[in-house]
mmCIF file of all heavy atoms in Angstrom:
data_model
loop_
_atom_site.group_PDB
_atom_site.id
_atom_site.type_symbol
_atom_site.label_atom_id
_atom_site.label_comp_id
_atom_site.label_asym_id
_atom_site.label_seq_id
_atom_site.Cartn_x
_atom_site.Cartn_y
_atom_site.Cartn_z
ATOM 1 N N THR A 391 -1.586 156.300 -15.042
ATOM 2 C CA THR A 391 -2.879 156.894 -14.682
ATOM 3 C C THR A 391 -2.812 158.077 -13.778
ATOM 4 O O THR A 391 -3.452 157.976 -12.752
ATOM 5 C CB THR A 391 -3.707 155.721 -14.032
ATOM 6 O OG1 THR A 391 -2.830 155.175 -12.937
ATOM 7 C CG2 THR A 391 -3.909 154.591 -15.001
ATOM 8 N N MET A 392 -1.962 159.026 -14.183
ATOM 9 C CA MET A 392 -1.631 160.183 -13.292
ATOM 10 C C MET A 392 -2.713 161.374 -13.497
ATOM 11 O O MET A 392 -2.201 162.369 -13.875
ATOM 12 C CB MET A 392 -0.277 160.675 -13.694
ATOM 13 C CG MET A 392 0.812 159.637 -13.839
ATOM 14 S SD MET A 392 1.829 159.535 -12.339
ATOM 15 C CE MET A 392 1.139 158.285 -11.449
ATOM 16 N N ARG A 393 -3.930 161.008 -13.259
ATOM 17 C CA ARG A 393 -4.950 162.086 -13.277
ATOM 18 C C ARG A 393 -5.660 162.316 -12.035
ATOM 19 O O ARG A 393 -6.771 162.812 -11.971
ATOM 20 C CB ARG A 393 -5.859 161.756 -14.515
ATOM 21 C CG ARG A 393 -5.331 161.927 -15.932
ATOM 22 C CD ARG A 393 -6.077 161.471 -16.962
ATOM 23 N NE ARG A 393 -6.157 159.836 -17.089
ATOM 24 C CZ ARG A 393 -5.235 159.067 -17.573
ATOM 25 N NH1 ARG A 393 -4.121 159.690 -18.210
ATOM 26 N NH2 ARG A 393 -5.374 157.926 -17.453
ATOM 27 N N ALA A 394 -5.055 161.927 -10.994
ATOM 28 C CA ALA A 394 -5.633 162.100 -9.706
ATOM 29 C C ALA A 394 -5.956 163.530 -9.219
ATOM 30 O O ALA A 394 -5.025 164.375 -9.618
ATOM 31 C CB ALA A 394 -4.914 161.253 -8.617
ATOM 32 N N GLY A 395 -6.926 163.866 -8.659
ATOM 33 C CA GLY A 395 -7.133 165.142 -7.998
ATOM 34 C C GLY A 395 -6.699 165.129 -6.627
ATOM 35 O O GLY A 395 -6.069 164.251 -6.090
ATOM 36 N N THR A 396 -6.972 166.304 -5.909
ATOM 37 C CA THR A 396 -6.539 166.418 -4.478
ATOM 38 C C THR A 396 -7.259 165.347 -3.577
ATOM 39 O O THR A 396 -8.413 164.968 -3.908
ATOM 40 C CB THR A 396 -6.857 167.746 -3.934
ATOM 41 O OG1 THR A 396 -6.481 168.806 -4.870
ATOM 42 C CG2 THR A 396 -6.386 168.089 -2.687
ATOM 43 N N LYS A 397 -6.587 164.705 -2.743
ATOM 44 C CA LYS A 397 -7.124 163.764 -1.879
ATOM 45 C C LYS A 397 -6.715 163.956 -0.428
ATOM 46 O O LYS A 397 -5.575 164.460 -0.152
ATOM 47 C CB LYS A 397 -6.578 162.381 -2.157
ATOM 48 C CG LYS A 397 -7.044 161.609 -3.496
ATOM 49 C CD LYS A 397 -6.508 160.266 -3.593
ATOM 50 C CE LYS A 397 -6.377 159.781 -4.849
ATOM 51 N NZ LYS A 397 -5.262 160.313 -5.620
ATOM 52 N N VAL A 398 -7.605 163.538 0.526
ATOM 53 C CA VAL A 398 -7.141 163.591 1.863
ATOM 54 C C VAL A 398 -6.734 162.266 2.175
ATOM 55 O O VAL A 398 -7.375 161.199 2.146
ATOM 56 C CB VAL A 398 -8.386 163.976 2.863
ATOM 57 C CG1 VAL A 398 -8.025 163.976 4.341
ATOM 58 C CG2 VAL A 398 -8.996 165.404 2.463
ATOM 59 N N PHE A 399 -5.366 162.043 2.393
ATOM 60 C CA PHE A 399 -4.837 160.702 2.653
ATOM 61 C C PHE A 399 -5.129 160.096 4.022
ATOM 62 O O PHE A 399 -5.428 158.899 4.171
ATOM 63 C CB PHE A 399 -3.359 160.706 2.429
ATOM 64 C CG PHE A 399 -2.920 160.671 0.988
ATOM 65 C CD1 PHE A 399 -3.411 161.368 -0.007
ATOM 66 C CD2 PHE A 399 -2.078 159.593 0.592
ATOM 67 C CE1 PHE A 399 -3.012 161.339 -1.333
ATOM 68 C CE2 PHE A 399 -1.686 159.381 -0.673
ATOM 69 C CZ PHE A 399 -2.103 160.210 -1.597
ATOM 70 N N TRP A 400 -5.303 160.950 4.969
ATOM 71 C CA TRP A 400 -5.481 160.464 6.415
ATOM 72 C C TRP A 400 -6.625 161.147 7.079
ATOM 73 O O TRP A 400 -6.416 162.107 7.781
ATOM 74 C CB TRP A 400 -4.222 160.491 7.146
ATOM 75 C CG TRP A 400 -3.160 159.605 6.628
ATOM 76 C CD1 TRP A 400 -2.967 158.299 6.920
ATOM 77 C CD2 TRP A 400 -2.032 160.070 5.841
ATOM 78 N NE1 TRP A 400 -1.914 157.851 6.223
ATOM 79 C CE2 TRP A 400 -1.223 158.912 5.522
ATOM 80 C CE3 TRP A 400 -1.644 161.379 5.210
ATOM 81 C CZ2 TRP A 400 -0.162 158.924 4.810
ATOM 82 C CZ3 TRP A 400 -0.491 161.322 4.445
ATOM 83 C CH2 TRP A 400 0.343 160.066 4.338
ATOM 84 N N PRO A 401 -7.888 160.967 6.673
ATOM 85 C CA PRO A 401 -8.948 161.667 7.251
ATOM 86 C C PRO A 401 -9.175 161.481 8.658
ATOM 87 O O PRO A 401 -8.776 160.517 9.099
ATOM 88 C CB PRO A 401 -10.177 161.222 6.416
ATOM 89 C CG PRO A 401 -9.744 159.910 5.885
ATOM 90 C CD PRO A 401 -8.333 159.838 5.741
#
Side-chain angles (χ1 to χ4, degrees):
T391 53
M392 313 257 96
R393 284 171 290 276
T396 310
K397 286 188 205 73
V398 179
F399 274 55
W400 295 280

